[in-house]
Amino acid sequence: MSTPIDVELGREAYARRAWREAHEHLAIADEAEPLTTDDLELLATTAFMLGRDDEYLGVLERAHHAHLEAGETLPAVRNAIWIGRTQGVGVLTAEEATNHSLSGPMLRASGVDYDVRKDDPYLSYPDVPWKVVTDDHGDVFGRTLVRVGELVESTNIVRHCLENLPEGAIRIQPPRAAPKGEVLSRYEAPRGELVHFIRTNNTDKVERLDIRTPTLANWTSVAVSLVGQHLADIPVVVAAIDPCLSCTSRVTIVDREDRETKTMTWEELRAHGMRFYREKRGV
Amino acid sequence: MDVPLLVLYVVMFPGLLFLVGYAFLFQFLDRKIAARMQSRVGPPLIQPFADFVKMLAKETITPADVKRADFDWAPLLAFAAVATAFLYVPVVGPSPVAFQGDLILILYLLTLPSIALFVLGWLSRNVFATIGGVRAVTQLFIYEVPFFLALLAPAIMAGTWSVSEIVTWQASHPWFAVLQPIGFIVALIGLQAKLERTPFDIPEAETEIVAGPWTELTGRRLALMRLTMDVALVTGSGLVAALFLGGPLLPWALEPAWLASLAGFGLFLAKTLAILFVLTSLRIAMGRLRIDQLNDIGWKYLASAAILQVFVVLAMNAWWAP
């Protein structure tokens, strides 16, 4: 029974910053009986200090999983100022989130269990075991928790897929021309639901392509979540959408009465914004 | 002190010339330590000086509808104030220009950069600069009370209003950092807030209001204002080192006199650099607070702690005369 002694010796050597010694003791202890999460982190650090990067990453990953199994608050978001700046900031209730057609982590952070990969599965998602990450905070803090949780889920999905890779050709030759038809596809992108509409006409050119990016869906929620917040919260709330500004660099205005549609480009929007603030706010 | 020696003291060492050089070194160390803490390489030693020269050479743009003169004198006034304040900080021994009450003069002069920033922000006719300037003054009202109270406590215990005499008092007594640990911590936090460094960089929060009052500063005005903040960092560190860490005086006498001066100068460097290290670590370890959160922390905890320290000092003076 050398385990407790080796753990003690390892911790003691770690405190002295004797990395090699600490690493040896902890590794022996780990072989005899798997270490606890805190000791795993020590082992990872010693491996890093000795320049063994592969071992460092492997052990750190084990420590991370052990943390998750223990159901501990994610260390990444355990910071007083971070919590102070994000908790209760930009709150959206589940009802507001659904009313503004939010999608992705924004929606799930308000406690709505909706994910295209589960609710309208595509590709191999039905075959992979994974769970939808939701949170009931509804604020920027909750959105962070959801995103960090999804990182872990995504890693697990990738690992599961690699382990269960089916037989078959890796590369296939696509047909030269797409057959005539229309497709509307929905994907769960990191920012939320991404919708593509494609119409093809038996050539190698696409006849019509429409994209609805998740940022566009999430943007409008700012009108609700910013009410009653401080000026200093604006960057926090806006950044929590994880906005893809190049996805929203144009606006299509549909006038139902005149039966007209008009698209404003990025340059026009920019000029419009400057003119608006100069005239209305005297900036 | 003779007049020529005094002129040398004011202009060369440890006056203006040394001060500017040391301020550049401080900026370099601040950036280098921060870079190493974030696993970056960091700037070379000459970088702060190179930045300064480069900015001096750049075009100076005055915003429309702003009086040039006002925009020119505000950074100059701020720089002159903090450079003057440094004369009263003991560097190689007690300051030769010291008088009863120079502590209050230093505190007053150290407040002027914040006022200059407010004036600049207000004059800029730019929303970001205006908000930044207003925030700078709001922050001033929050940290100034605990900071002043914390620096008041050593003066009460030593029974003098002169920084140099407080340093002399500490040569025969324990340091005030030991006698008044609460005041020391409050003073360090107050200094960080005074220098508008993270987590108190609220007036120049670049993610929210571009650069706050600095937004419309260009060319030599920007160079001078940056230098002012570095000089304020040196002056503030020197002040805290003098009031709480015993300044440049050794508890025992050294012979000959030049050796004592050299040892004092070494102590000054060591103590100010130690304070810089603490301030830089704070800056890197934290994110920015919101002004209302700073208000809560400042008035609820910092001011209460500083008042508590003053009461403890009064009680100690009454029952335990050191």
Side-chain angles (χ1 to χ4, degrees), chain B residues 58-87:
Chain B
K58 293 286 177 193
E59 184 189 4
T60 308
I61 302 163
T62 311
D65 304 336
V66 174
K67 263 168 79 182
R68 280 188 77 92
D70 295 348
F71 239 56
D72 279 332
W73 67 249
L76 263 177
L77 175 84
F79 178 73
V82 288
T84 310
F86 188 69
L87 289 181

PDB file of all heavy atoms in Angstrom, chain B residues 58-87:
ATOM      1  N   LYS B  58       4.260  62.772 -34.463  1.00  0.00           N
ATOM      2  CA  LYS B  58       3.002  62.625 -35.195  1.00  0.00           C
ATOM      3  C   LYS B  58       2.224  63.938 -35.227  1.00  0.00           C
ATOM      4  O   LYS B  58       2.401  64.807 -34.368  1.00  0.00           O
ATOM      5  CB  LYS B  58       2.141  61.538 -34.526  1.00  0.00           C
ATOM      6  CG  LYS B  58       2.727  60.157 -34.640  1.00  0.00           C
ATOM      7  CD  LYS B  58       2.571  59.609 -36.018  1.00  0.00           C
ATOM      8  CE  LYS B  58       3.250  58.250 -36.115  1.00  0.00           C
ATOM      9  NZ  LYS B  58       3.391  57.816 -37.494  1.00  0.00           N
ATOM     10  N   GLU B  59       1.346  64.021 -36.214  1.00  0.00           N
ATOM     11  CA  GLU B  59       0.513  65.214 -36.354  1.00  0.00           C
ATOM     12  C   GLU B  59      -0.400  65.366 -35.135  1.00  0.00           C
ATOM     13  O   GLU B  59      -0.917  64.384 -34.605  1.00  0.00           O
ATOM     14  CB  GLU B  59      -0.344  65.072 -37.606  1.00  0.00           C
ATOM     15  CG  GLU B  59      -1.178  66.291 -37.916  1.00  0.00           C
ATOM     16  CD  GLU B  59      -2.177  66.016 -39.032  1.00  0.00           C
ATOM     17  OE1 GLU B  59      -2.260  64.865 -39.485  1.00  0.00           O
ATOM     18  OE2 GLU B  59      -2.865  66.955 -39.435  1.00  0.00           O
ATOM     19  N   THR B  60      -0.569  66.597 -34.683  1.00  0.00           N
ATOM     20  CA  THR B  60      -1.473  66.867 -33.574  1.00  0.00           C
ATOM     21  C   THR B  60      -2.777  67.416 -34.137  1.00  0.00           C
ATOM     22  O   THR B  60      -2.781  68.470 -34.769  1.00  0.00           O
ATOM     23  CB  THR B  60      -0.848  67.884 -32.608  1.00  0.00           C
ATOM     24  OG1 THR B  60       0.446  67.421 -32.249  1.00  0.00           O
ATOM     25  CG2 THR B  60      -1.689  68.037 -31.366  1.00  0.00           C
ATOM     26  N   ILE B  61      -3.839  66.673 -33.923  1.00  0.00           N
ATOM     27  CA  ILE B  61      -5.129  67.064 -34.497  1.00  0.00           C
ATOM     28  C   ILE B  61      -5.998  67.670 -33.402  1.00  0.00           C
ATOM     29  O   ILE B  61      -6.174  67.070 -32.337  1.00  0.00           O
ATOM     30  CB  ILE B  61      -5.841  65.850 -35.112  1.00  0.00           C
ATOM     31  CG1 ILE B  61      -4.941  65.219 -36.177  1.00  0.00           C
ATOM     32  CG2 ILE B  61      -7.183  66.257 -35.716  1.00  0.00           C
ATOM     33  CD1 ILE B  61      -5.346  63.824 -36.549  1.00  0.00           C
ATOM     34  N   THR B  62      -6.530  68.854 -33.658  1.00  0.00           N
ATOM     35  CA  THR B  62      -7.452  69.476 -32.719  1.00  0.00           C
ATOM     36  C   THR B  62      -8.862  69.298 -33.265  1.00  0.00           C
ATOM     37  O   THR B  62      -9.110  69.645 -34.416  1.00  0.00           O
ATOM     38  CB  THR B  62      -7.151  70.972 -32.565  1.00  0.00           C
ATOM     39  OG1 THR B  62      -5.748  71.119 -32.335  1.00  0.00           O
ATOM     40  CG2 THR B  62      -7.926  71.569 -31.409  1.00  0.00           C
ATOM     41  N   PRO B  63      -9.783  68.746 -32.477  1.00  0.00           N
ATOM     42  CA  PRO B  63     -11.147  68.558 -32.976  1.00  0.00           C
ATOM     43  C   PRO B  63     -11.783  69.910 -33.335  1.00  0.00           C
ATOM     44  O   PRO B  63     -11.396  70.952 -32.785  1.00  0.00           O
ATOM     45  CB  PRO B  63     -11.876  67.908 -31.805  1.00  0.00           C
ATOM     46  CG  PRO B  63     -10.832  67.443 -30.878  1.00  0.00           C
ATOM     47  CD  PRO B  63      -9.616  68.267 -31.106  1.00  0.00           C
ATOM     48  N   ALA B  64     -12.736  69.887 -34.237  1.00  0.00           N
ATOM     49  CA  ALA B  64     -13.432  71.113 -34.618  1.00  0.00           C
ATOM     50  C   ALA B  64     -14.130  71.721 -33.404  1.00  0.00           C
ATOM     51  O   ALA B  64     -14.572  70.998 -32.506  1.00  0.00           O
ATOM     52  CB  ALA B  64     -14.462  70.795 -35.706  1.00  0.00           C
ATOM     53  N   ASP B  65     -14.221  73.036 -33.336  1.00  0.00           N
ATOM     54  CA  ASP B  65     -14.899  73.772 -32.267  1.00  0.00           C
ATOM     55  C   ASP B  65     -14.209  73.660 -30.919  1.00  0.00           C
ATOM     56  O   ASP B  65     -14.833  73.895 -29.891  1.00  0.00           O
ATOM     57  CB  ASP B  65     -16.366  73.322 -32.093  1.00  0.00           C
ATOM     58  CG  ASP B  65     -17.134  73.461 -33.381  1.00  0.00           C
ATOM     59  OD1 ASP B  65     -16.705  74.280 -34.212  1.00  0.00           O
ATOM     60  OD2 ASP B  65     -18.131  72.759 -33.554  1.00  0.00           O
ATOM     61  N   VAL B  66     -12.950  73.232 -30.883  1.00  0.00           N
ATOM     62  CA  VAL B  66     -12.241  73.153 -29.608  1.00  0.00           C
ATOM     63  C   VAL B  66     -11.113  74.176 -29.628  1.00  0.00           C
ATOM     64  O   VAL B  66     -10.404  74.296 -30.619  1.00  0.00           O
ATOM     65  CB  VAL B  66     -11.662  71.737 -29.385  1.00  0.00           C
ATOM     66  CG1 VAL B  66     -10.817  71.716 -28.124  1.00  0.00           C
ATOM     67  CG2 VAL B  66     -12.779  70.724 -29.279  1.00  0.00           C
ATOM     68  N   LYS B  67     -10.975  74.915 -28.512  1.00  0.00           N
ATOM     69  CA  LYS B  67      -9.890  75.889 -28.434  1.00  0.00           C
ATOM     70  C   LYS B  67      -8.569  75.153 -28.284  1.00  0.00           C
ATOM     71  O   LYS B  67      -8.387  74.358 -27.372  1.00  0.00           O
ATOM     72  CB  LYS B  67     -10.117  76.821 -27.237  1.00  0.00           C
ATOM     73  CG  LYS B  67     -10.776  78.136 -27.624  1.00  0.00           C
ATOM     74  CD  LYS B  67     -11.237  78.894 -26.407  1.00  0.00           C
ATOM     75  CE  LYS B  67     -10.090  79.619 -25.720  1.00  0.00           C
ATOM     76  NZ  LYS B  67     -10.553  80.323 -24.514  1.00  0.00           N
ATOM     77  N   ARG B  68      -7.640  75.447 -29.209  1.00  0.00           N
ATOM     78  CA  ARG B  68      -6.336  74.776 -29.204  1.00  0.00           C
ATOM     79  C   ARG B  68      -5.644  74.910 -27.853  1.00  0.00           C
ATOM     80  O   ARG B  68      -5.097  73.949 -27.322  1.00  0.00           O
ATOM     81  CB  ARG B  68      -5.424  75.404 -30.261  1.00  0.00           C
ATOM     82  CG  ARG B  68      -5.645  74.953 -31.655  1.00  0.00           C
ATOM     83  CD  ARG B  68      -4.537  75.528 -32.518  1.00  0.00           C
ATOM     84  NE  ARG B  68      -3.307  74.763 -32.327  1.00  0.00           N
ATOM     85  CZ  ARG B  68      -2.987  73.727 -33.102  1.00  0.00           C
ATOM     86  NH1 ARG B  68      -3.793  73.365 -34.068  1.00  0.00           N
ATOM     87  NH2 ARG B  68      -1.884  73.063 -32.903  1.00  0.00           N
ATOM     88  N   ALA B  69      -5.654  76.125 -27.332  1.00  0.00           N
ATOM     89  CA  ALA B  69      -4.878  76.416 -26.123  1.00  0.00           C
ATOM     90  C   ALA B  69      -5.322  75.524 -24.964  1.00  0.00           C
ATOM     91  O   ALA B  69      -4.497  74.941 -24.252  1.00  0.00           O
ATOM     92  CB  ALA B  69      -5.028  77.888 -25.756  1.00  0.00           C
ATOM     93  N   ASP B  70      -6.652  75.372 -24.806  1.00  0.00           N
ATOM     94  CA  ASP B  70      -7.162  74.555 -23.701  1.00  0.00           C
ATOM     95  C   ASP B  70      -6.682  73.120 -23.832  1.00  0.00           C
ATOM     96  O   ASP B  70      -6.321  72.469 -22.856  1.00  0.00           O
ATOM     97  CB  ASP B  70      -8.697  74.572 -23.704  1.00  0.00           C
ATOM     98  CG  ASP B  70      -9.220  75.957 -23.425  1.00  0.00           C
ATOM     99  OD1 ASP B  70      -8.408  76.801 -23.025  1.00  0.00           O
ATOM    100  OD2 ASP B  70     -10.422  76.184 -23.614  1.00  0.00           O
ATOM    101  N   PHE B  71      -6.692  72.655 -25.081  1.00  0.00           N
ATOM    102  CA  PHE B  71      -6.278  71.277 -25.321  1.00  0.00           C
ATOM    103  C   PHE B  71      -4.789  71.109 -25.082  1.00  0.00           C
ATOM    104  O   PHE B  71      -4.337  70.017 -24.799  1.00  0.00           O
ATOM    105  CB  PHE B  71      -6.649  70.880 -26.763  1.00  0.00           C
ATOM    106  CG  PHE B  71      -7.557  69.699 -26.811  1.00  0.00           C
ATOM    107  CD1 PHE B  71      -8.764  69.720 -26.131  1.00  0.00           C
ATOM    108  CD2 PHE B  71      -7.216  68.564 -27.525  1.00  0.00           C
ATOM    109  CE1 PHE B  71      -9.598  68.629 -26.153  1.00  0.00           C
ATOM    110  CE2 PHE B  71      -8.055  67.472 -27.550  1.00  0.00           C
ATOM    111  CZ  PHE B  71      -9.241  67.499 -26.874  1.00  0.00           C
ATOM    112  N   ASP B  72      -4.028  72.192 -25.253  1.00  0.00           N
ATOM    113  CA  ASP B  72      -2.589  72.102 -25.056  1.00  0.00           C
ATOM    114  C   ASP B  72      -2.203  72.154 -23.582  1.00  0.00           C
ATOM    115  O   ASP B  72      -1.317  71.441 -23.150  1.00  0.00           O
ATOM    116  CB  ASP B  72      -1.878  73.244 -25.807  1.00  0.00           C
ATOM    117  CG  ASP B  72      -1.718  72.923 -27.278  1.00  0.00           C
ATOM    118  OD1 ASP B  72      -1.639  71.721 -27.606  1.00  0.00           O
ATOM    119  OD2 ASP B  72      -1.694  73.847 -28.092  1.00  0.00           O
ATOM    120  N   TRP B  73      -2.894  73.032 -22.818  1.00  0.00           N
ATOM    121  CA  TRP B  73      -2.397  73.205 -21.443  1.00  0.00           C
ATOM    122  C   TRP B  73      -2.814  72.097 -20.503  1.00  0.00           C
ATOM    123  O   TRP B  73      -2.133  71.823 -19.521  1.00  0.00           O
ATOM    124  CB  TRP B  73      -2.729  74.582 -20.865  1.00  0.00           C
ATOM    125  CG  TRP B  73      -4.181  74.917 -20.602  1.00  0.00           C
ATOM    126  CD1 TRP B  73      -4.933  75.820 -21.279  1.00  0.00           C
ATOM    127  CD2 TRP B  73      -5.038  74.395 -19.568  1.00  0.00           C
ATOM    128  NE1 TRP B  73      -6.199  75.876 -20.766  1.00  0.00           N
ATOM    129  CE2 TRP B  73      -6.296  75.019 -19.705  1.00  0.00           C
ATOM    130  CE3 TRP B  73      -4.861  73.464 -18.539  1.00  0.00           C
ATOM    131  CZ2 TRP B  73      -7.380  74.739 -18.873  1.00  0.00           C
ATOM    132  CZ3 TRP B  73      -5.947  73.180 -17.701  1.00  0.00           C
ATOM    133  CH2 TRP B  73      -7.176  73.815 -17.893  1.00  0.00           C
ATOM    134  N   ALA B  74      -3.919  71.411 -20.784  1.00  0.00           N
ATOM    135  CA  ALA B  74      -4.383  70.390 -19.833  1.00  0.00           C
ATOM    136  C   ALA B  74      -3.342  69.286 -19.624  1.00  0.00           C
ATOM    137  O   ALA B  74      -2.998  68.986 -18.472  1.00  0.00           O
ATOM    138  CB  ALA B  74      -5.725  69.830 -20.269  1.00  0.00           C
ATOM    139  N   PRO B  75      -2.789  68.661 -20.691  1.00  0.00           N
ATOM    140  CA  PRO B  75      -1.753  67.644 -20.445  1.00  0.00           C
ATOM    141  C   PRO B  75      -0.505  68.236 -19.792  1.00  0.00           C
ATOM    142  O   PRO B  75       0.101  67.600 -18.925  1.00  0.00           O
ATOM    143  CB  PRO B  75      -1.419  67.115 -21.842  1.00  0.00           C
ATOM    144  CG  PRO B  75      -2.552  67.503 -22.700  1.00  0.00           C
ATOM    145  CD  PRO B  75      -3.088  68.773 -22.133  1.00  0.00           C
ATOM    146  N   LEU B  76      -0.144  69.469 -20.184  1.00  0.00           N
ATOM    147  CA  LEU B  76       1.036  70.107 -19.601  1.00  0.00           C
ATOM    148  C   LEU B  76       0.861  70.314 -18.113  1.00  0.00           C
ATOM    149  O   LEU B  76       1.757  70.027 -17.311  1.00  0.00           O
ATOM    150  CB  LEU B  76       1.267  71.465 -20.271  1.00  0.00           C
ATOM    151  CG  LEU B  76       2.288  71.492 -21.402  1.00  0.00           C
ATOM    152  CD1 LEU B  76       2.350  72.881 -22.007  1.00  0.00           C
ATOM    153  CD2 LEU B  76       3.654  71.076 -20.867  1.00  0.00           C
ATOM    154  N   LEU B  77      -0.344  70.806 -17.734  1.00  0.00           N
ATOM    155  CA  LEU B  77      -0.630  71.039 -16.319  1.00  0.00           C
ATOM    156  C   LEU B  77      -0.539  69.732 -15.546  1.00  0.00           C
ATOM    157  O   LEU B  77       0.084  69.667 -14.471  1.00  0.00           O
ATOM    158  CB  LEU B  77      -2.033  71.637 -16.167  1.00  0.00           C
ATOM    159  CG  LEU B  77      -2.490  71.801 -14.734  1.00  0.00           C
ATOM    160  CD1 LEU B  77      -1.974  73.099 -14.157  1.00  0.00           C
ATOM    161  CD2 LEU B  77      -3.996  71.734 -14.621  1.00  0.00           C
ATOM    162  N   ALA B  78      -1.127  68.659 -16.117  1.00  0.00           N
ATOM    163  CA  ALA B  78      -1.115  67.364 -15.436  1.00  0.00           C
ATOM    164  C   ALA B  78       0.315  66.898 -15.235  1.00  0.00           C
ATOM    165  O   ALA B  78       0.700  66.441 -14.145  1.00  0.00           O
ATOM    166  CB  ALA B  78      -1.912  66.348 -16.253  1.00  0.00           C
ATOM    167  N   PHE B  79       1.142  67.045 -16.288  1.00  0.00           N
ATOM    168  CA  PHE B  79       2.530  66.583 -16.186  1.00  0.00           C
ATOM    169  C   PHE B  79       3.288  67.398 -15.142  1.00  0.00           C
ATOM    170  O   PHE B  79       4.007  66.846 -14.301  1.00  0.00           O
ATOM    171  CB  PHE B  79       3.220  66.688 -17.548  1.00  0.00           C
ATOM    172  CG  PHE B  79       4.661  66.272 -17.510  1.00  0.00           C
ATOM    173  CD1 PHE B  79       4.993  64.931 -17.388  1.00  0.00           C
ATOM    174  CD2 PHE B  79       5.675  67.205 -17.562  1.00  0.00           C
ATOM    175  CE1 PHE B  79       6.314  64.538 -17.330  1.00  0.00           C
ATOM    176  CE2 PHE B  79       7.001  66.820 -17.503  1.00  0.00           C
ATOM    177  CZ  PHE B  79       7.318  65.482 -17.387  1.00  0.00           C
ATOM    178  N   ALA B  80       3.119  68.725 -15.206  1.00  0.00           N
ATOM    179  CA  ALA B  80       3.818  69.584 -14.252  1.00  0.00           C
ATOM    180  C   ALA B  80       3.427  69.227 -12.821  1.00  0.00           C
ATOM    181  O   ALA B  80       4.282  69.191 -11.922  1.00  0.00           O
ATOM    182  CB  ALA B  80       3.500  71.050 -14.551  1.00  0.00           C
ATOM    183  N   ALA B  81       2.143  68.920 -12.609  1.00  0.00           N
ATOM    184  CA  ALA B  81       1.671  68.622 -11.256  1.00  0.00           C
ATOM    185  C   ALA B  81       2.337  67.372 -10.706  1.00  0.00           C
ATOM    186  O   ALA B  81       2.883  67.392  -9.598  1.00  0.00           O
ATOM    187  CB  ALA B  81       0.149  68.459 -11.276  1.00  0.00           C
ATOM    188  N   VAL B  82       2.320  66.277 -11.489  1.00  0.00           N
ATOM    189  CA  VAL B  82       2.878  65.038 -10.932  1.00  0.00           C
ATOM    190  C   VAL B  82       4.394  65.130 -10.814  1.00  0.00           C
ATOM    191  O   VAL B  82       4.986  64.568  -9.894  1.00  0.00           O
ATOM    192  CB  VAL B  82       2.464  63.790 -11.753  1.00  0.00           C
ATOM    193  CG1 VAL B  82       1.010  63.478 -11.541  1.00  0.00           C
ATOM    194  CG2 VAL B  82       2.771  63.953 -13.214  1.00  0.00           C
ATOM    195  N   ALA B  83       5.059  65.860 -11.755  1.00  0.00           N
ATOM    196  CA  ALA B  83       6.515  66.003 -11.661  1.00  0.00           C
ATOM    197  C   ALA B  83       6.883  66.820 -10.427  1.00  0.00           C
ATOM    198  O   ALA B  83       7.873  66.529  -9.751  1.00  0.00           O
ATOM    199  CB  ALA B  83       7.068  66.654 -12.926  1.00  0.00           C
ATOM    200  N   THR B  84       6.081  67.844 -10.099  1.00  0.00           N
ATOM    201  CA  THR B  84       6.326  68.639  -8.896  1.00  0.00           C
ATOM    202  C   THR B  84       6.122  67.785  -7.648  1.00  0.00           C
ATOM    203  O   THR B  84       6.908  67.850  -6.699  1.00  0.00           O
ATOM    204  CB  THR B  84       5.386  69.845  -8.855  1.00  0.00           C
ATOM    205  OG1 THR B  84       5.447  70.512 -10.108  1.00  0.00           O
ATOM    206  CG2 THR B  84       5.760  70.797  -7.749  1.00  0.00           C
ATOM    207  N   ALA B  85       5.065  66.978  -7.677  1.00  0.00           N
ATOM    208  CA  ALA B  85       4.772  66.146  -6.507  1.00  0.00           C
ATOM    209  C   ALA B  85       5.945  65.242  -6.184  1.00  0.00           C
ATOM    210  O   ALA B  85       6.234  64.965  -5.012  1.00  0.00           O
ATOM    211  CB  ALA B  85       3.511  65.319  -6.764  1.00  0.00           C
ATOM    212  N   PHE B  86       6.676  64.793  -7.231  1.00  0.00           N
ATOM    213  CA  PHE B  86       7.779  63.854  -7.000  1.00  0.00           C
ATOM    214  C   PHE B  86       8.905  64.494  -6.196  1.00  0.00           C
ATOM    215  O   PHE B  86       9.654  63.794  -5.518  1.00  0.00           O
ATOM    216  CB  PHE B  86       8.303  63.347  -8.341  1.00  0.00           C
ATOM    217  CG  PHE B  86       9.308  62.237  -8.210  1.00  0.00           C
ATOM    218  CD1 PHE B  86       8.900  60.990  -7.759  1.00  0.00           C
ATOM    219  CD2 PHE B  86      10.643  62.428  -8.516  1.00  0.00           C
ATOM    220  CE1 PHE B  86       9.805  59.961  -7.613  1.00  0.00           C
ATOM    221  CE2 PHE B  86      11.559  61.394  -8.371  1.00  0.00           C
ATOM    222  CZ  PHE B  86      11.143  60.161  -7.930  1.00  0.00           C
ATOM    223  N   LEU B  87       9.045  65.837  -6.276  1.00  0.00           N
ATOM    224  CA  LEU B  87      10.118  66.517  -5.546  1.00  0.00           C
ATOM    225  C   LEU B  87       9.994  66.301  -4.043  1.00  0.00           C
ATOM    226  O   LEU B  87      10.987  66.343  -3.321  1.00  0.00           O
ATOM    227  CB  LEU B  87      10.100  68.015  -5.846  1.00  0.00           C
ATOM    228  CG  LEU B  87      10.533  68.427  -7.249  1.00  0.00           C
ATOM    229  CD1 LEU B  87      10.473  69.932  -7.379  1.00  0.00           C
ATOM    230  CD2 LEU B  87      11.941  67.923  -7.531  1.00  0.00           C
TER     231      LEU B  87
END
